[in-house]
Amino acid sequence: MWSELTQAIANLNIAADWIGIRAVKTNASTRHVRDGLPQINGKTSTMGAMLEVLVNGCLGYAATTSLELPSLQSAAQTAYQQALAASKWWIYPFNANQRPKVVGEYNSPYLEPLDGLCPGEINNFLVRICQGLKVHDKIVQTSASATTTERETWFVSSNGSQVYQKIVSLGTHYGAIAQDGKIVQQRSNNGWQAHCYQGGWELLKQEQLWQRVQQVGEQAVELLTATECPNTRTKLLLAPDQMMLQIHESVGHPLEIDRILGDERNYAGGSFVKPSDFGNLEYGSPLMNITFDPTVPGEFASYGFDDTGAVATKEYVIKQGVLQRGLGSLESQARANIPGVACARACSWNRPPIDRMANLNLEPGNQTTAEIISGIEQGIYMESNRSWSIDDRRYKFQFGCEYAKLIENGQLTKTLRNPNYRATTPEFWHSLTHIGNADTWEMYGTAMCGKGEPNQAIWVGHGSPLCVFANVEVFGGG
């Protein structure tokens, strides 16, 4: 692959200031079982290349399914014409500084390769999970799924860049729906498809898998007779699997620099954050330390370089509650004069890279689970996201969870169903009063973050400890 791409770069007949080729090969599979019966057994394989050129301060893009020189030349010519036409109306002139030379390699860690199980073995595993979830006659539906992806990327540029990355990932999900008359409750393994990581089949074959499968089924039945979540203001203890969504929606999206600049307002929305807020805005309490970190081994959105070749490093975006930097690519950083991160990412070979969050994590504190719970006289514990709603500025939100427990006199007591909470982003993060230690920290991931026109569904990772928020409005209702 390297010889073909470097030769193509050298032989492209385009009068551009800079040229890049990003070739991507992806093999993926999806297996889904419902009520013990296989529903989906699919495999896909795609390969193509994105040509990116810089002309008169503007970037142009075009894609092709062929890596033959004539096809690459044609795509480069199309990208050149786009950039040339746009250069008459540019709002900021880019230069080669936004595409520095870089050479390197990144490979996902894994123990058991994705081809280590045949389709029949995978289906049998998922069927057994469904059978394990059926703990009672009131379980009316069970489901289990597994998605594998192996993605290879080669990036070369006219100024000497050569980057190779291989991402191996597995996403799993299972859950049960219980019904008793008009009451219907769902319970899943930490929310909808939250178990997405880099690695192989060892991620599914966990020691506690079957114990957890049984627990999910039992909790679905337990929720049928649980007390409705009360309508009140109280201390809210959130599990790491719910903090995943909280970080994603109320920190990740509003800090994307292209949204702040207005680029995404037509589709994904804008942000309540202003350019002048960076370095000044007290986003939350001093306990709030959020890092952008694509270097975490095994986290779903880890990588060595973004899709423009920028080197991935761990950076604080919020430190001791104060906003430090945005989630923006090298060109967004230049446009907004805001410090950013290596986050120009594309979902496939036929999409240009745009500003996307990757691994966005809340750093742990120093309290144990027992210390946190024992310090709450009255409160509610919630876990596993069920529903979400947030406005287009990422300011007002309302989230629902699958499972909750009442906290009374420092102890978890009765189970609550249909728990929800609402707040505004600044109010909520300023109410952060306690944060768990590294033993409470858990990471999750999802492949379903949508943004861009045409749409790009990108993979992201989020890690968090247990967190306590004071005086939060909670309420019941399915």
Side-chain angles (χ1 to χ4, degrees), residues 23-46:
V24 184
K25 179 181 179 181
T26 303
N27 293 308
S29 73
T30 300
R31 318 285 177 190
H32 178 68
V33 172
R34 186 176 66 220
D35 296 329
L37 300 175
Q39 304 292 309
I40 299 174
N41 284 285
K43 294 180 67 176
T44 60
S45 181
T46 65

Side-chain angles (χ1 to χ4, degrees), residues 154-166:
W154 296 263
F155 175 75
V156 299
S157 70
S158 57
N159 60 341
S161 290
Q162 281 196 348
V163 172
Y164 172 76
Q165 301 192 88
K166 183 177 181 179

Side-chain angles (χ1 to χ4, degrees), residues 236-383:
L236 176 63
L237 174 59
L238 290 183
D241 60 2
Q242 175 59 22
M243 286 300 299
M244 168 191 172
L245 182 84
Q246 188 67 58
I247 293 167
H248 183 90
E249 298 291 355
S250 67
V251 179
H253 281 309
L255 295 190
E256 291 165 339
I257 297 179
D258 58 352
R259 296 177 67 119
I260 294 170
L261 291 170
D263 296 355
E264 286 288 326
R265 196 171 296 155
N266 184 56
Y267 176 54
S271 174
F272 73 92
V273 177
K274 305 183 295 296
S276 59
D277 289 335
F278 289 89
N280 302 304
L281 177 66
E282 292 185 1
Y283 206 97
S285 83
L287 296 176
M288 186 184 186
N289 291 286
I290 300 280
T291 56
F292 172 90
D293 193 1
T295 71
V296 179
E299 196 164 0
F300 197 34
S302 290
Y303 50 84
F305 311 85
D306 75 5
D307 285 330
T308 64
V311 178
T313 57
K314 178 179 179 178
E315 304 289 348
Y316 277 85
V317 294
I318 298 173
K319 193 168 187 178
Q320 296 180 349
V322 179
L323 181 60
Q324 304 293 316
R325 62 177 64 222
L327 303 180
S329 60
L330 293 175
E331 54 262 42
S332 289
Q333 295 174 47
R335 283 176 59 192
N337 193 28
I338 293 172
V341 295
C343 69
R345 306 174 63 210
C347 70
S348 183
W349 59 269
N350 60 357
R351 295 290 188 270
I354 58 176
D355 293 354
R356 303 304 296 262
M357 71 182 93
N359 295 337
L360 201 62
N361 302 328
L362 178 62
E363 297 296 304
N366 54 20
Q367 288 195 296
T368 66
T369 300
E371 288 171 341
I372 288 176
I373 295 176
S374 64
I376 300 175
E377 185 175 344
Q378 289 289 328
I380 294 176
Y381 165 75
M382 297 186 191
E383 65 180 44

Side-chain angles (χ1 to χ4, degrees), residues 126-155:
L126 299 178
V127 167
R128 186 181 170 191
I129 290 175
C130 285
Q131 292 171 342
L133 291 166
K134 184 74 173 177
V135 297
H136 195 281
D137 290 343
K138 290 183 179 178
I139 297 290
V140 296
Q141 186 180 101
T142 61
S143 62
S145 62
T147 301
T148 67
T149 305
E150 182 176 286
R151 181 183 295 105
E152 293 181 276
T153 303
W154 296 263
F155 175 75

